[in-house]
């Protein structure tokens, strides 16, 4: 559930260091440079990139620009093409059986390890080309006044992907605003370390 939903899970970031004005001016072009590329007509397993906040099918921001007052709003789209292990096992078995029949007709009774690997790769590629990629979209809003960013996900893999792509796009680094990070920023390193030894209180009703 994203930022446009009634509720959801979010990760808050703060940008490390200074944000130069030219980076904000170049934001639309930077987003387009790392925009999402469709893989519907390929056999690629994964594709990711930026899309418009309002429409995840719009990777060129035709409908609306990312600038919303002093905010930048955009989304991370991740398409993943998967093949069920059970389906792969079935078609690999069929391919191996077919190879055995072919070998027996040629007077051979053995399939080498390398040949089995080659068959498995061929089967996987064939199945991937027939599978439709599954899209996932994670909205993000960047407050350019206080340099705080909200990402509509708490998934660790999505967070890492977002952080890496954000750094590649804007040449800026993100610091997740977890309770530990916030404590260190507000209290200082020494006092924040003391929080590690605090034990939770017991409240009896």
């Amino acid at each position: 559930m994203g930022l446009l939903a009634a509720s959801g899970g979010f990760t808050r970031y703060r940008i490390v260091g200074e944000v130069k004005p030219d980076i904000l001016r170049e934001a639309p072009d930077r987003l387009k440079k790392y925009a999402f590329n469709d893989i519907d007509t390929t056999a690629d397993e994964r594709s990711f990139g930026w899309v418009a906040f309002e429409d995840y099918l719009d990777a060129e921001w035709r409908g609306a620009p990312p600038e919303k007052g002093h905010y930048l709003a955009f989304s991370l789209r991740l398409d993943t093409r998967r093949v069920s292990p059970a389906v792969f096992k079935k078609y690999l078995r069929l391919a191996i059986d077919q190879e055995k029949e072919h070998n027996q007709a040629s007077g051979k009774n053995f399939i080498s390890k390398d040949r089995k690997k080659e068959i498995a790769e061929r089967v996987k590629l064939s199945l991937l080309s027939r599978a439709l990629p599954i899209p996932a979209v994670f909205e993000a809003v960047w407050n350019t006044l206080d340099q705080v960013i909200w990402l509509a996900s708490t998934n660790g893999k999505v967070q890492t992907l977002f952080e890496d792509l954000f750094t590649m796009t804007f040449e800026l680094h993100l610091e997740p605003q977890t309770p530990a990070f916030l404590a260190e920023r507000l209290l200082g390193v020494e006092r924040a370390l003391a929080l590690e030894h605090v034990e939770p209180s017991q409240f009896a009703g």
Side-chain angles (χ1 to χ4, degrees), residues 12-15 70-71 142-150:
R12 182 168 63 161
Y13 294 96
R14 190 174 185 86
I15 294 176
H70 64 269
Y71 291 92
W142 177 359
N143 185 334
T144 60
L145 294 183
D146 60 14
Q147 306 307 340
V148 170
I149 296 173
W150 294 86

Side-chain angles (χ1 to χ4, degrees), residues 15-28 30 72 142 144-145 147 166 169-173:
I15 294 176
V16 179
E18 178 187 1
V19 180
K20 296 181 179 178
D22 61 325
I23 291 179
L24 298 178
R25 286 196 300 269
E26 298 167 359
R30 287 174 177 262
L72 285 172
W142 177 359
T144 60
L145 294 183
Q147 306 307 340
F166 185 92
T169 304
F170 297 104
E171 301 175 62
L172 297 168
H173 295 280

Side-chain angles (χ1 to χ4, degrees), residues 49-191:
W50 306 122
V51 292
F53 184 84
E54 295 84 358
D55 182 3
Y56 73 91
L57 297 179
D58 184 2
E60 297 183 5
W61 283 264
R62 294 192 185 95
E67 299 98 336
K68 318 291 182 187
H70 64 269
Y71 291 92
L72 285 172
F74 46 92
S75 296
L76 169 64
R77 177 175 169 182
L78 169 63
D79 277 24
T80 308
R81 181 181 269 114
R82 300 187 183 94
V83 174
S84 163
V87 172
F88 175 73
K89 183 178 181 180
K90 170 189 172 181
Y91 283 93
L92 177 60
R93 166 72 185 279
L94 291 172
I96 292 292
D97 288 348
Q98 185 179 21
E99 184 74 7
K100 287 180 179 178
E101 291 178 5
H102 180 269
N103 285 353
Q104 288 174 355
S106 304
K108 299 178 183 178
N109 296 312
F110 177 74
I111 302 177
S112 69
K113 183 178 179 180
D114 288 344
R115 179 57 179 164
K116 287 182 178 179
K117 183 178 179 180
E118 180 183 329
I119 293 172
E121 292 176 350
R122 187 187 70 212
V123 169
K124 182 180 180 181
L125 185 62
S126 174
L127 292 174
L128 282 173
S129 66
R130 293 155 60 184
L132 293 175
I134 302 169
V137 183
F138 310 94
E139 295 100 343
V141 172
W142 177 359
N143 185 334
T144 60
L145 294 183
D146 60 14
Q147 306 307 340
V148 170
I149 296 173
W150 294 86
L151 170 67
S153 177
T154 57
N155 180 280
K157 292 183 179 180
V158 173
Q159 290 171 336
T160 299
L161 180 62
F162 176 80
E163 293 162 16
D164 291 345
L165 186 58
F166 185 92
T167 296
M168 189 182 303
T169 304
F170 297 104
E171 301 175 62
L172 297 168
H173 295 280
L174 297 175
E175 180 182 77
Q177 296 297 284
T178 61
F181 273 102
L182 290 171
E184 182 176 323
R185 185 162 62 87
L186 296 173
L187 302 176
V189 177
E190 292 183 4
R191 294 180 64 189

Side-chain angles (χ1 to χ4, degrees), residues 29-41:
D29 292 332
R30 287 174 177 262
L31 288 168
K32 289 178 183 178
K33 182 178 179 181
Y34 293 95
F36 174 82
N37 289 313
D38 211 307
I39 57 172
D40 285 357
T41 59

